Amino acid sequence: MTKKIYVFIGNYGSGKTELSLNIAMQSAGVCKTVLVDLDIINPYFRSSERRDMLEGMGVKLISPNFAMTNVDVPSLPPEVHSVFTGAYETVVFDVGGDAAGAVALGQYKRYFDNVPKTNLEVLFVINPRRPLSETPEMALDLLENIKSKSRLDITGLVNNSNLSMETSADDLLDGFEMVKSVSNKTMIPVSYTAGRQDVLNEFLKIAEEKGLDRNYIGKPFPIRTYMHRDWDSFLAHGI
Amino acid sequence: MAKKLMKGCEAIAEAAIRAGCKFFFGYPITPQNDIPEHMAARLPQIGGCFLQAESEVAAINMVYGAAGAGARVMTSSSSCGISLKMEGITFIAGAELPCVIVNMMRGGPGLGSIQASQGDYFQATKGGGHGDYHMIVLAPASVQEASDIMQRAFDLADIYRTPVMLLADGIIGQMMEPVEFHEQESKRELPEKLWATTGWTPDSCRKRAVVNSLYITNEELDTLNQRLQSRYREIQKNEVTVEEYNTENAEFILCAYGTIARICKSAITLLAGEGVKAGLIRPITLWPFPSDTVKKAAEQESVKALLTVEISSGQMLEDVRLAVNGRKETAFLGRPGSYLPSAEEIAQTVLRMRRMHS
């Protein structure tokens, strides 16, 4: 059995939770999957809100001790350690935003160090539509900061440029330029370009026409929207 | 300008900076921490000052000081933190100083919870601090509106020399929506701040500016209060803003502000599917309250009853009842924080009312 560990880090609001849920849901039913909600930043709108959905699909969810309660204490359960040694085949870490969120990872360094490099993907998610991460310089600054706080080496970049439900191929094209620039400066490869299927297809078509370098696109990662991102699904799910 | 994907809190902070706010003093509390966080990152970039005070009380008194010196200044907090600031707020009102205060409401009373609530309506609109004063209270219902309203908040504060509160439930602060920052087209004419304590010298061609809220003689205090009251009447006359949705010839009128008003709109669509015509009155200024709009809507022959919906236990309801003044039934549906009434629940309530009126 190979264990594959995905760690999503990045700017606050870059889409880490959505990507984490997508990896977990894709892997559910195929192999034994666990999602670790390591977000010590967000009071609402977090992966733990989708516990029923995840558990319904057989995904184990590990949440901070007081997630979804009225207590705002960022305390992590000892259970997190079990994902490194237990029988899980897919492990997904949904980490809180910015360097402040990445701090939660630091304490697991000695466990991550024992994971073979080929089995670990530490993915830095980039969304240039978010404030304070609009330029490659800002993204680089954040990347260095998060890297030092998380005590992990970043293995790949993810272009997840989006405006929530209003996302278009133009957003991913801007994201392409951004990850290209960050990749060239850091020598970190672009692992994925993520987006809703229709938007992603449109982007790939334009990329093909324009002859954009596929090295900066990486693997296309079509996603479904599990967290509510628009008002209608907000009403359907509540907070 | 291209759209950004922003949290309500971030959009409010950014919009405040674009409105000329250069000073922010605050103390952390969920669910509004993204405001000070954004201010801490951005204000130094524009030559402003962000300071995390040692407490809410300290923060509001720093606002008092900066406002007295004529600065565009802001603070933010949530419910219990706002209670702590109340002494400072009444002092600022008494000293006739402009500032903006954001309250991203969480559950109460006491420490309450970190979930969204509208439980501070009374506190915001009926005083909160002591003395005969009012604040202008603005209530956005989306991230876009929250950002659009900031320029107005600072302008109103300057024009009327009063604290202005932006009152929103935690959902507005925490939810992310695409936002566009508009260039302000109709920036209002602002009075010169001759009262500001900017440094007096013997050759200054003006009176020494003194910031004060203590009036020793009856006459002086009476003069201040008369001046404040006349200003409040002017605000009530000129500054009411309200959104009316589908109210003309409606059978039922919903009254709601903030997040819950958006849920009411979904309920109105559900009701239309049932053949019931319902409309919404959404106050954007909670003080001054749009009493005339509510009164006129209620007076329509078509209207059978009004339903006020809140994430609290019947606070704005009192203002709706004062405006309707017994002309029509004024029902209430609310949850005291933590939970939200759903669109279905609101629609079902209206359908029940309809059965009783048929």
Side-chain angles (χ1 to χ4, degrees):
Chain A
M1 179 205 81
T2 27
K3 189 191 285 289
K4 184 84 197 241
I5 300 183
Y6 299 88
V7 181
F8 288 99
I9 51 179
N11 183 209
Y12 190 53
S14 53
K16 301 174 295 300
T17 295
E18 201 67 82
L19 296 173
S20 299
L21 286 171
N22 269 273
I23 293 269
M25 292 297 278
Q26 280 171 22
S27 151
V30 184
C31 50
K32 204 164 156 32
T33 306
V34 60
L35 175 69
V36 186
D37 173 0
L38 215 61
D39 189 341
I40 54 167
I41 303 289
N42 255 339
Y44 331 142
F45 306 127
R46 50 188 306 145
S47 52
S48 292
E49 290 169 27
R50 296 291 172 266
R51 179 178 287 279
D52 291 348
M53 177 188 84
L54 290 163
E55 289 179 349
M57 288 293 288
V59 176
K60 164 86 178 161
L61 173 70
I62 299 177
S63 304
N65 292 331
F66 299 103
M68 305 314 297
T69 71
N70 286 330
V71 186
D72 196 10
V73 176
S75 140
L76 298 166
E79 217 182 348
V80 175
H81 297 92
S82 72
V83 306
F84 294 98
T85 51
Y88 299 109
E89 292 158 278
T90 302
V91 180
V92 186
F93 279 89
D94 177 14
V95 183
D98 294 351
V103 167
L105 275 171
Q107 61 182 299
Y108 305 109
K109 178 176 167 51
R110 62 197 166 107
Y111 298 95
F112 280 113
D113 282 350
N114 290 329
V115 178
K117 289 238 173 320
T118 46
N119 298 353
L120 177 64
E121 285 201 58
V122 180
L123 299 162
F124 184 76
V125 185
I126 294 181
N127 179 10
R129 293 292 181 252
R130 288 281 299 141
L132 309 183
S133 59
E134 298 114 313
T135 65
E137 291 69 34
M138 285 171 166
L140 277 169
D141 196 42
L142 191 67
L143 185 142
E144 288 305 325
N145 209 346
I146 287 182
K147 199 173 128 184
S148 71
K149 290 291 189 328
S150 69
R151 303 168 75 194
L152 289 176
D153 284 328
I154 295 163
T155 63
L157 306 176
V158 181
N159 172 7
N160 190 42
S161 181
N162 78 88
L163 265 181
S164 180
M165 300 311 274
E166 292 182 23
T167 309
S168 71
D170 284 345
D171 297 313
L172 283 175
L173 285 165
D174 284 350
F176 173 86
E177 294 303 329
M178 177 91 147
V179 292
K180 183 178 167 187
S181 167
V182 175
S183 177
N184 285 337
K185 287 188 175 118
T186 56
M187 303 310 286
I188 299 172
V190 179
S191 296
Y192 302 95
T193 293
R196 249 182 13 238
Q197 186 81 63
D198 53 333
V199 180
L200 192 58
N201 288 347
E202 174 74 10
F203 162 77
L204 292 169
K205 202 175 121 214
I206 300 170
E208 181 91 33
E209 285 162 15
K210 289 191 167 181
L212 299 182
D213 190 342
R214 285 205 69 98
N215 283 323
Y216 300 113
I217 296 176
K219 200 174 153 198
F221 181 1
I223 60 162
R224 281 186 54 192
T225 313
Y226 292 112
M227 293 301 288
H228 54 73
R229 288 289 179 238
D230 64 327
W231 188 251
D232 289 339
S233 57
F234 171 79
L235 288 178
H237 290 290
I239 303 181
Chain B
M1 207 195 118
K3 280 190 177 178
K4 293 258 165 251
L5 184 60
M6 291 180 102
K7 271 192 159 190
C9 282
E10 294 166 341
I12 285 168
E14 186 59 33
I17 289 169
R18 285 162 188 263
C21 172
K22 287 185 97 172
F23 300 88
F24 181 95
F25 308 110
Y27 188 81
I29 182 170
T30 305
Q32 62 81 54
N33 286 324
D34 325 76
I35 297 177
E37 193 180 6
H38 192 85
M39 287 296 198
R42 286 280 286 123
L43 282 174
Q45 294 173 359
I46 58 150
C49 173
F50 164 87
L51 204 143
Q52 182 176 317
E54 61 268 44
S55 71
E56 286 87 348
V57 178
I60 192 68
N61 282 293
M62 290 172 186
V63 170
Y64 186 12
R72 278 212 153 168
V73 57
M74 170 173 144
T75 187
S76 65
S77 192
S78 177
S79 300
C80 20
I82 294 290
S83 291
L84 285 164
K85 288 182 198 285
M86 271 304 163
E87 181 193 54
I89 294 174
T90 164
F91 275 49
I92 292 169
E96 302 171 86
L97 295 176
C99 70
V100 174
I101 302 141
V102 178
N103 180 2
M104 209 50 82
M105 288 181 280
R106 55 186 258 171
L111 279 172
S113 80
I114 60 169
Q115 301 299 327
S117 155
Q118 294 181 324
D120 307 344
Y121 180 93
F122 281 155
Q123 184 193 50
T125 62
K126 314 286 178 194
H130 61 275
D132 243 347
Y133 81 97
H134 275 292
M135 283 185 283
I136 296 175
V137 184
L138 305 173
S142 69
V143 174
Q144 183 67 57
E145 191 177 39
S147 93
D148 291 343
I149 222 165
M150 288 311 284
Q151 177 79 45
R152 184 166 175 234
F154 280 98
D155 288 353
L156 289 176
D158 280 351
I159 291 166
Y160 296 104
R161 291 179 62 183
T162 175
V164 173
M165 178 174 277
L166 189 133
L167 188 72
D169 51 82
I171 297 166
I172 303 281
Q174 291 299 313
M175 75 182 302
M176 258 187 212
E177 291 185 306
V179 178
E180 196 168 6
F181 289 98
H182 305 292
E183 287 307 317
Q184 295 293 325
E185 299 127 20
S186 59
K187 224 174 171 179
R188 294 170 65 163
E189 204 174 308
L190 302 176
E192 209 183 330
K193 295 179 173 179
L194 296 169
W195 44 263
T197 53
T198 51
W200 183 88
T201 52
D203 53 351
S204 301
C205 299
R206 62 178 172 109
K207 263 185 12 193
R208 194 188 285 268
V210 178
V211 168
N212 174 44
S213 74
L214 175 64
Y215 297 88
I216 304 285
T217 68
N218 291 343
E219 199 183 7
E220 275 179 310
L221 181 59
D222 189 63
T223 307
L224 168 80
N225 271 313
Q226 297 299 346
R227 188 166 62 240
L228 287 179
Q229 292 306 318
S230 108
R231 200 174 287 154
Y232 296 149
R233 284 191 291 276
E234 212 184 315
I235 295 170
Q236 282 173 311
K237 200 175 111 206
N238 299 329
E239 305 299 346
V240 172
T241 27
V242 56
E243 181 195 354
E244 277 190 88
Y245 176 74
N246 222 19
T247 50
E248 206 177 322
N249 298 322
E251 263 184 276
F252 294 91
I253 304 230
L254 304 175
C255 300
Y257 70 99
T259 295
I260 200 73
R262 286 173 77 170
I263 298 177
C264 282
K265 283 190 182 173
S266 301
I268 288 168
T269 309
L270 290 176
L271 286 165
E274 301 280 331
V276 181
K277 187 159 190 241
L280 169 72
I281 294 178
R282 177 175 74 88
I284 298 169
T285 50
L286 297 179
W287 195 91
F289 187 76
S291 304
D292 281 349
T293 309
V294 175
K295 176 173 171 271
K296 277 185 196 134
E299 276 170 350
Q300 296 182 99
E301 229 170 276
S302 62
V303 172
K304 294 196 169 84
L306 293 89
L307 176 69
T308 303
V309 191
E310 300 174 15
I311 324 174
S312 46
S313 302
Q315 300 198 13
M316 189 175 82
L317 173 67
E318 293 194 0
D319 284 328
V320 172
R321 284 190 171 152
L322 279 171
V324 174
N325 201 13
R327 289 176 190 89
K328 293 281 161 69
E329 181 197 344
T330 47
F332 177 71
L333 173 67
R335 295 277 193 93
S338 304
Y339 299 103
L340 296 178
S342 67
E344 289 77 17
E345 201 178 342
I346 297 166
Q348 286 303 327
T349 307
V350 172
L351 289 174
R352 251 198 323 275
M353 287 164 69
R354 191 176 192 232
R355 283 196 291 276
M356 285 168 67
H357 277 271
S358 61

